[in-house]
């Protein structure tokens, strides 16, 4: 049994022990993502920084999240077909999905979002990273992802967000007006 499968079972065996815990896992794996998007939009709307910075944050988050999830993830899934754990292993299945497992689309999208937010506001970024970890680990507990799906998705999301931020800042910054860097 691979380490990936061992860690999967370690987490997935937490499911099915308590209806309350299973409900929390389903909420985190399914609905916390919507809460996170609403929090992001509230952050952008109520942020007391200049309007151009709000648009830049919105652009970097939007572009990086969409490229990571609907570009890179779907390209990998087009060539590599990894079945979901519940299709190949005996699992405690709390949710079902129909697409391929690797990489996790939720991990790519929300790690890109958290990384981009972190570049503009470290405190909010850390909060988004914590919420993203709850979302993605819950998807392993629920039986719809292997841990390596999450790690691969996190790597892709972080890398795409970094590249998007880097190229956006370079494109927007003028040589005569140096940027102050991240806002904390």
């Amino acid at each position: 049994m691979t380490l990936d499968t061992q860690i999967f079972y370690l987490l997935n065996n937490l499911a099915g022990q308590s209806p309350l815990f299973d409900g929390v896992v389903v909420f985190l794996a399914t609905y916390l993502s919507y809460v996170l998007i609403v929090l992001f939009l509230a952050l952008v709307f109520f942020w007391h920084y200049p309007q151009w910075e709000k648009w830049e944050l919105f652009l970097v988050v939007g572009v990086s999240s969409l490229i990571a999830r609907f570009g890179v993830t779907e390209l990998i899934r087009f060539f590599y077909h990894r079945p979901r754990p519940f299709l190949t292993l005996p699992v405690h299945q709390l949710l079902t999905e129909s697409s391929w497992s690797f990489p996790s689309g939720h991990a790519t999208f929300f790690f890109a979002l958290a990384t981009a937010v972190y570049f503009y506001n470290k405190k909010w970024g850390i909060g988004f990273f914590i919420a993203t970890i709850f979302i993605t680990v819950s998807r392993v507990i629920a039986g719809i992802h292997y841990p390596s799906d999450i790690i691969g998705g996190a790597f892709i999301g972080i890398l795409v967000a970094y590249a998007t931020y880097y190229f956006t800042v370079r494109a927007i910054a003028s040589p005569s007006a140096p940027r102050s860097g991240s806002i904390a």
Side-chain angles (χ1 to χ4, degrees):
M1 187 180 316
T2 65
L3 180 61
D4 195 29
T5 306
Q6 289 176 0
I7 295 171
F8 169 78
Y9 274 126
L10 178 72
L11 293 170
N12 183 250
N13 284 335
L14 298 172
Q17 305 298 318
S18 159
L20 177 63
F21 181 76
D22 290 352
V24 170
V25 168
V26 168
F27 171 80
L28 294 174
T30 306
Y31 301 108
L32 182 57
S33 55
Y34 299 113
V35 172
L36 211 54
I37 290 171
V38 169
L39 281 175
F40 168 71
L41 293 173
L43 169 68
V44 171
F45 186 75
F46 294 111
W47 203 11
H48 63 278
Y49 291 102
Q51 194 68 27
W52 66 268
E53 210 156 18
K54 290 181 182 186
W55 282 109
E56 184 180 313
L57 170 64
F58 190 78
L59 174 74
V60 171
V61 166
V63 168
S64 63
S65 297
L66 294 175
I67 288 174
R69 171 60 184 96
F70 298 107
V72 178
T73 297
E74 292 306 316
L75 183 65
I76 291 170
R77 287 180 178 178
F78 182 76
F79 291 106
Y80 178 65
H81 302 140
R82 184 181 196 184
R84 300 264 178 188
F86 63 82
L87 295 173
T88 59
L89 301 171
V91 302
H92 299 286
Q93 185 180 349
L94 301 179
L95 297 170
T96 186
E97 292 278 337
S98 60
S99 61
W100 300 112
S101 185
F102 183 86
S104 165
H106 279 76
T108 56
F109 186 91
F110 288 102
F111 272 102
L113 185 147
T115 302
V117 169
Y118 182 82
F119 288 138
Y120 291 90
N121 187 303
K122 304 248 185 281
K123 291 176 187 171
W124 275 90
I126 290 169
F128 277 80
F129 272 118
I130 291 168
T132 298
I133 290 168
F134 278 123
I135 290 169
T136 55
V137 170
S138 293
R139 295 180 70 78
V140 175
I141 295 170
I144 56 176
H145 276 297
Y146 292 98
S148 60
D149 300 338
I150 304 303
I151 293 167
F155 178 76
I156 292 165
I158 290 168
L159 187 66
V160 170
Y162 177 79
T164 304
Y165 174 77
Y166 177 79
F167 289 117
T168 301
V169 167
R170 288 197 56 164
I172 292 175
S174 68
S176 61
R179 285 182 62 90
S180 61
S182 297
I183 299 169

